[in-house]
Amino acid sequence: MTLTVNGCHVMAKPTGSVCNIDCNYCFYLEKEALYPERKQNWRMSDETLEQYIRQHIEAQQSQQVTFAWQGGEPTMMGLPFFHRVIALCEKYGQGKQIQHALQTNGILMNPEWAAFFAEHHFLIGLSIDGPQALHDTYRVTRAGGGTHAKVMEALALLKQHNVEFNTLTVVGKHNVSHAREVYEFLLAAGSRYIQFIPLVERISTAETSALNLVLPGESAATLAPWTVPSRQFGEFLSEIFDIWVRRDIGRVSVQMFDVAIAAWNSQPPVLCVHTETCGHAFALESNGDLYNCDHFVYPEHRLGNIHQQDIRELNNSEQAYAFGQAKRDTLTTDCRQCEFRFVCHGGCPKHRFAVSFTGQPGHNYLCAGYKHFFRHITRDMNLLRDLLNGGYPPEAMIYAQAQKSVAVGSVSRNDPCPCGSGKKYKKCCLQS
């Protein structure tokens, strides 16, 4: 089979699974069991780095190339490593526009790091699970201490140096009941680009399992205690959406809401979780091993090593193609017939270990939550689609929502304006 795939995404992990904190719920820390020989020598070598930079640029057919750095904790490599990254990108750039994104826990952030990120226009993803009591539930040091204060210091440095950043919030049992509190905290902290990641893991019950956290197809497993309840995840998103659509649309980007907007307007998905097919968003381990996906770093999903095969070849391999097509081809009947398939597409294959309503295995565990959320936002999404098609900006939804509240008699002239401006209705949207 001859395949022609246009480019790929690679999540590079220069420290492998090595991290400087010990998040109890982290699915990647235990990947060290796959590479026991690297306990002392875990850093990506200069040879592997150069191979990766060159191959990743050559694998892209567009003029824009994005390097994504994750871990573990990528800042543990030190600033000299990333200065070398910049030099190699200049060496092999071929005139292309190269961008960098780096996900960090913020613990090692200092003025030197922040200045480097600003100079080279890195997009920084900062992991934070909400206010201190919620964040420090699982995101702790190896000694068990909280990390919230250090993360807030890192956020302040990013803002001080005008570094573009977004926040990544893991949503699990610890914070799913605090939707408004989490959202308002992130806004108050200065985040305007927000990602909510559902925490879903299963723990192996097999005595011979090398890894505790298992693949979807393995039956000898039980839900991890920190896993977010499906329906509650949908309620979490819905509660935040109701605030956002009436007050913050147009000034705050929430990734899951962007997914919905794109789907309702027949635009390409903005998140691999909700694409129809996948298979070309890889994870690169520090020794050059390339895997189908960050969530599928298991021996059976190893595509190869970039010291033996280049990224372009692995991207166009039958294994990569088959993995991506399976996302669409293995949908349950319930999923195929679902009214929200156009936006959801069955969700991430990692989460397909539940039984569907009609009794089919391989259904997405988060289905109930997704359905609740998509059903909850349908009326507003239809209205927003009509406004956007009419040439109005997204912010027009705020005025439309305010007018709807007035129409049903829930707002009088002297009440606070439903747009959330803080002014009285008569001094705000009524005048519009």
Side-chain angles (χ1 to χ4, degrees):
M1 181 188 299
T2 301
L3 307 172
T4 54
V5 178
N6 296 323
C8 60
H9 177 79
V10 177
M11 188 180 293
K13 298 174 178 289
T15 71
S17 61
V18 175
C19 188
N20 53 355
I21 64 174
D22 193 20
C23 301
N24 297 348
Y25 59 50
C26 180
F27 72 93
Y28 212 83
L29 283 177
E30 70 165 9
K31 300 301 181 182
E32 65 181 3
L34 299 177
Y35 298 97
E37 73 281 1
R38 296 212 323 265
K39 286 187 177 180
Q40 303 301 322
N41 186 22
W42 45 265
R43 301 168 64 90
M44 178 178 283
S45 69
D46 189 71
E47 180 187 5
T48 300
L49 175 63
E50 185 161 3
Q51 286 280 2
Y52 168 52
I53 296 291
R54 178 183 61 80
Q55 291 183 25
H56 185 54
I57 293 172
E58 292 176 351
Q60 312 307 316
Q61 295 188 9
S62 70
Q63 281 300 109
Q64 289 193 333
V65 181
T66 298
F67 284 90
W69 306 97
Q70 281 210 4
E73 173 51 43
T75 59
M76 290 180 67
M77 294 298 295
L79 264 176
F81 175 86
F82 285 97
H83 281 295
R84 179 67 173 150
V85 166
I86 298 301
L88 288 170
C89 286
E90 292 175 354
K91 179 179 179 179
Y92 295 108
Q94 304 173 14
K96 294 187 176 183
Q97 298 176 347
I98 296 178
Q99 300 171 319
H100 296 273
L102 183 144
Q103 185 67 37
T104 179
N105 57 36
I107 302 301
L108 296 179
M109 189 72 65
N110 59 29
E112 289 73 29
W113 274 110
F116 172 83
F117 291 145
E119 178 184 358
H120 298 288
H121 308 290
F122 271 56
L123 170 62
I124 301 302
L126 188 65
S127 297
I128 185 165
D129 284 0
Q132 181 174 2
L134 300 176
H135 176 93
D136 286 347
T137 301
Y138 291 121
R139 301 193 66 82
V140 296
T141 66
R142 295 198 175 277
T147 62
H148 190 267
K150 292 292 294 183
V151 176
M152 295 304 292
E153 290 175 14
L155 194 151
L157 280 169
L158 294 174
K159 291 194 291 185
Q160 180 183 336
H161 286 79
N162 297 314
V163 177
E164 187 177 358
F165 72 93
N166 58 40
T167 51
L168 186 152
T169 299
V170 173
V171 182
K173 271 191 176 179
H174 61 302
N175 58 3
V176 71
S177 299
H178 302 271
R180 175 182 284 272
E181 182 182 0
V182 169
Y183 180 61
E184 299 291 11
F185 168 82
L186 294 173
L187 293 189
S191 180
R192 295 297 179 266
Y193 297 90
I194 298 171
Q195 299 178 45
F196 293 118
I197 310 299
L199 180 55
V200 180
E201 297 291 351
R202 293 191 308 150
I203 299 175
S204 174
T205 56
E207 295 181 1
T208 58
S209 178
L211 297 173
N212 290 323
L213 303 178
V214 302
L215 279 166
E218 298 184 37
S219 57
T222 183
L223 276 177
W226 47 78
T227 292
V228 64
S230 175
R231 169 77 180 206
Q232 274 192 273
F233 181 62
E235 292 169 349
F236 175 94
L237 293 174
S238 299
E239 185 175 346
I240 293 174
F241 178 88
D242 287 346
I243 302 168
W244 174 84
V245 79
R246 287 160 176 78
R247 190 190 70 192
D248 300 326
I249 185 173
R251 74 181 185 97
V252 177
S253 170
V254 179
Q255 188 182 60
M256 194 62 198
F257 304 163
D258 292 342
V259 166
I261 292 171
W264 255 269
N265 287 276
S266 302
Q267 297 171 353
V270 300
L271 181 64
C272 64
V273 169
H274 296 294
T275 57
E276 186 175 19
T277 61
C278 59
H280 306 284
F282 307 122
L284 179 74
E285 262 287 339
S286 62
N287 71 336
D289 283 348
L290 197 71
Y291 290 86
N292 278 123
C293 171
D294 180 43
H295 291 288
F296 284 79
V297 177
Y298 295 87
E300 53 266 57
H301 287 282
R302 179 182 174 274
L303 290 167
N305 187 287
I306 63 172
H307 291 286
Q308 284 83 48
Q309 298 168 279
D310 66 37
I311 292 174
R312 186 198 299 270
E313 181 183 356
L314 294 170
N315 183 39
N316 287 278
S317 67
E318 290 192 30
Q319 183 179 342
Y321 182 81
F323 179 88
Q325 295 302 301
K327 185 177 191 294
R328 177 192 62 200
D329 297 343
T330 60
L331 292 175
T332 61
T333 302
D334 300 63
C335 199
R336 293 178 189 279
Q337 297 174 350
C338 178
E339 62 183 308
F340 298 115
R341 180 181 174 182
F342 76 101
V343 57
C344 179
H345 291 297
C348 183
K350 175 188 177 180
H351 299 152
R352 295 182 184 178
F353 55 80
V355 177
S356 73
F357 181 76
T358 58
Q360 283 187 282
H363 200 65
N364 196 305
Y365 165 80
L366 289 171
C367 178
Y370 284 143
K371 273 192 173 181
H372 174 83
F373 172 61
F374 295 137
R375 189 171 291 119
H376 180 83
I377 67 173
T378 292
R379 183 177 297 179
D380 286 329
M381 280 293 105
N382 289 340
L383 174 57
L384 177 59
R385 179 192 58 209
D386 294 342
L387 288 171
L388 294 176
N389 288 340
Y392 292 95
E395 296 89 331
M397 277 293 289
I398 298 175
Y399 176 72
Q401 294 288 352
Q403 292 302 99
K404 186 168 67 174
S405 297
V406 173
V408 299
S410 60
V411 179
S412 64
R413 289 171 53 84
N414 291 311
D415 285 340
C417 189
C419 77
S421 66
K423 301 177 182 179
K424 290 185 178 181
Y425 173 60
K426 66 182 180 183
K427 296 289 187 179
C428 191
C429 284
L430 179 60
Q431 293 184 344
S432 301

